[in-house]
Amino acid sequence: MATTGLTRSTTIDALDELIDIGLLRELPNARAVGEYRKGRPSRRFELRADAAVVVGMDAGQSHITTTIADLRGVPIASETRELSALDDSADARRAAVLASVDSALRSAGRGRESVLAICIGVPAPVDSEGNSPHHREGFWQRMNPDLRPMFEDWVPIVRLENDASLAAIAEGSVGAAIGCSDYVVLLAGDRFGAGVVVDGRLLRGAHGGAGEMFALDKVLGVGSAKGMGLRLTSWVRDAAAAGEIPAGHPLDSLPKEQLTGRAVLELARSGDAWSRGIVERAGALLARVTAIFGSVYDPSRVIVAGAVAENLNQIADVARAALPDEVDLAVPELVLSSLGARSVAVGAVCAAVDSARTGVLHLRVVTPKFLRSAV
C-alpha cells in the first residue's frame, strides 16, 4: 500500500487477481507465523517464481548459450553449443537456435508450455520490433534470420536485442553500472560493439544501430571495428612475419598459432619490454575509442566487457592515463567488467525477466495456460 498509494481493499483485489493467474501465492498471515502485534494481522504473499520460466540466449556467430531461469531470474539450467563455421545459413541458424532452446528446457525439466518470455541477443543491429537492417554482405540477416516470428507461435513474450545492448543491461542489473544512468558497455573481443544507456534508457536508434562501430573505420589511430582481442593477436603475428620480434625473445620461436594477445599480455605482466610496447599501443587505442563515446554520448562510465576484459588491466591503466588528453568533456570512468564471457547471456536473462514483468498482465489471455497449469 505504501509503495503503490492504493487503498487496502484495492491492493487486496489486485493481489487476489495475481493469485488467480498464478503469479502469487498467499502465505500464512502474520498471526500464524508469530509476527502479529496488534490490530488486523497482515496478509502475506510471495511471487510464485516457479509458475513459469524465461529463456535468455546469447546467439553468437560461433556459439549459442541458452539459460533457463525462473521468474526471479535465478538460473535453472544453462547450455552452450558450438556452431559449425561451414554452415551459417539462415535455415541452419534457425534450427540451431530452436534446438538449443528445446535442449535447455529438457535439462531444466520444463516444456515449451512453461515459457513466459524469451530474449535472444544477436551480433547485429536490432530495432524495437526485433528486426535487423539489410547488410551488404548479408551477415546481419544470417545472424537474425527472422528469429522473432519463429517463437511467437508458442512464446507469449518474445524480445530480440543486439548482443552489446544485452551486455549493457547485464552491467546495469548485476554488474559495474548498478546505480549509473549514463554509461556505455564496450564489447571488445573479435569486434568492437557498444551498448549505450543515456538517462537510464537503452538506446537503439531507428534501425537498432546506435552502438554499431563502423564509424571507427574513419577514426585516425583506430582504423576499424576490429576488437581488442583480435587486434592484439594480429599485431604480434604481423610483427613476427615482419621479423620485428627480437632474436631470442620468448615469442620468437613460437609457432603462429601460439602467437596470441594473451601470450603478449602475460609477458608484459612479467616485465618484458617488447610486450610492454604492444600494451602501450593497445592502451592508446582503447583511450581513443573510449574518447569517441565520451564525446558523442557523454557517459559517466565506459565499461569494457566480454571474455577479453579480464586480461586487460594493463591496457586499461594505459588508457586511463591517456584519456584526459583525448576528451574535452568530463573524462568518463573506464572500468573492466567482471562478468566475463557471460555478460550477454546474463543480460538476456535480465531482459527476459523485465519483459515478463512489464508484459504478463497485457497478454490477450487473462489466465495463460502456462500459469494456470502451475496453480
Side-chain angles (χ1 to χ4, degrees), residues 100 108 121 206 265 290:
S100 297
L265 294 176
T290 301

Side-chain angles (χ1 to χ4, degrees), residues 73-235:
V74 177
I76 302 170
S78 185
E79 296 184 358
T80 297
R81 65 172 59 194
E82 301 300 320
L83 301 179
S84 171
L86 300 178
D87 187 1
D88 67 346
S89 67
D91 287 343
R93 186 164 175 82
R94 278 192 292 266
V97 166
L98 190 58
S100 297
V101 172
D102 285 335
S103 177
L105 283 171
R106 285 193 297 271
S107 296
R110 306 299 287 264
R112 287 185 175 187
E113 74 284 350
S114 69
V115 179
L116 170 58
I118 184 171
C119 179
I120 304 172
V122 296
V126 180
D127 66 18
S128 60
E129 299 299 319
N131 302 312
S132 295
H134 175 75
H135 184 267
R136 64 174 63 93
E137 297 174 0
F139 178 73
W140 293 339
Q141 288 74 48
R142 293 196 302 275
M143 295 300 99
N144 181 18
D146 296 323
L147 294 178
R148 182 170 183 167
M150 184 174 71
F151 286 102
E152 285 182 327
D153 286 343
W154 58 274
V155 180
I157 299 170
V158 182
R159 179 172 177 178
L160 269 288
E161 293 285 0
N162 169 260
D163 52 4
S165 293
L166 290 181
I169 290 173
E171 297 296 340
S173 301
V174 297
I178 293 176
C180 183
S181 59
D182 297 277
Y183 63 93
V184 172
V185 173
L186 187 65
L187 284 181
D190 289 345
R191 288 184 61 82
F192 282 124
V196 182
V197 175
V198 175
D199 296 334
R201 299 181 58 135
L202 180 70
L203 298 188
R204 290 190 184 88
H207 308 97
E212 283 300 309
M213 306 293 287
F214 288 107
L216 295 181
D217 295 355
K218 315 295 183 184
V219 177
L220 186 66
V222 180
S224 78
K226 186 185 294 184
M228 193 62 68
L230 195 59
R231 209 177 281 252
L232 287 167
T233 296
S234 295
W235 286 346

Side-chain angles (χ1 to χ4, degrees), residues 21 156 359-372:
I21 67 172
V360 65
L361 298 182
H362 301 288
L363 298 177
R364 287 191 297 269
V365 180
V366 178
T367 53
K369 175 182 177 182
F370 54 87
L371 291 176
R372 292 296 296 174

Side-chain angles (χ1 to χ4, degrees), residues 257-297:
E257 61 271 15
Q258 294 182 30
L259 293 174
T260 64
R262 184 183 295 272
V264 171
L265 294 176
E266 289 176 355
L267 285 170
R269 275 192 291 271
S270 69
D272 178 66
W274 187 87
S275 299
R276 180 65 188 179
I278 298 289
V279 167
E280 295 285 342
R281 181 181 176 185
L285 183 141
L286 180 58
R288 182 145 297 183
V289 172
T290 301
I292 293 168
F293 287 104
S295 298
V296 173
Y297 294 112

